[in-house]
Amino acid sequence: MKPMKVTRNLEISSREFFETVFLNLAQEIRTTDKTEVNIGDFRTGYRYVHNPENPALRVSFEIVEYREEKLYKAVRISANATTTVCYQVTPMDTGITVDFIYENSADAGKKKGLFSAFGEIYMLGRLTDQLYGIQKDAITRRDGYVERRTSNPLRPVTRKKTEE
């Protein structure tokens, strides 16, 4: 499969961008395995394995390259697929430009045709949504708010100003 790439301009700093990426990663690990992690550990060579005892459910994750506030590349390997995610960040006057490159080996064997074109368009939209979600989280934190998200579709996301 060829990698998919989206480029977006975000109105946050590269420091805010990577801090949000790492906070989200730490939260994912905490939620999945109830393991405390320090975002300062997320550097080139960081490895994490979920379900190490069960080969069918094992998921390994590694940050294969990280250049502070410039580049992040991680690989996630499971029994079904290998997924590579890369963020390349370039500072601008009003924020940053992010190239988000995504590659999933599970997509390699799929037939090409009309439905795969729709699938690719859908996936590019999801990549864009993810970048704008990172921007929203960073701005929310910068402005001193905390968001509470629920799995209940009838309860909206709530934002509350943190006490200083």
Side-chain angles (χ1 to χ4, degrees), residues 148-158:
R148 301 276 186 241
R149 296 177 181 152
T150 68
S151 58
N152 183 343
L154 301 176
R155 296 179 75 195
V157 173
T158 57

Side-chain angles (χ1 to χ4, degrees), residues 19-29 133-134 137 149:
E19 180 179 86
T20 302
V21 167
F22 291 149
L23 286 170
N24 290 343
L25 178 59
Q27 182 60 41
E28 181 181 337
I29 292 171
I134 291 169
D137 289 350
R149 296 177 181 152

Side-chain angles (χ1 to χ4, degrees), residues 32-136:
T32 303
D33 280 344
K34 310 292 185 255
T35 302
E36 279 303 313
V37 291
N38 180 354
I39 65 169
D41 296 337
F42 296 143
R43 300 292 179 248
T44 299
Y46 175 83
R47 294 173 194 247
Y48 167 76
V49 179
H50 174 67
N51 281 328
E53 312 81 33
N54 187 336
L57 299 176
R58 180 181 307 130
V59 177
S60 65
F61 168 85
E62 180 180 2
I63 298 175
V64 294
E65 187 175 1
Y66 176 68
R67 282 184 272 146
E68 192 166 348
E69 299 183 10
K70 290 180 178 38
L71 177 81
Y72 166 89
K73 184 175 184 181
V75 176
R76 190 178 299 229
I77 301 171
S78 69
N80 300 329
T82 298
T83 303
T84 304
V85 171
C86 181
Y87 299 115
Q88 295 175 321
V89 176
T90 306
M92 300 183 330
D93 291 340
T94 59
I96 57 174
T97 297
V98 180
D99 293 325
F100 182 6
I101 303 162
Y102 174 88
E103 186 171 12
N104 187 334
S105 68
D107 297 336
K110 292 184 179 176
K111 292 182 181 179
K112 302 296 178 202
L114 181 62
F115 289 112
S116 71
F118 284 123
E120 187 169 325
I121 291 168
Y122 173 76
M123 190 61 191
L124 291 171
R126 291 201 52 201
L127 298 177
T128 296
D129 290 347
Q130 189 169 350
L131 288 176
Y132 288 137
I134 291 169
Q135 175 180 255
K136 181 178 174 272

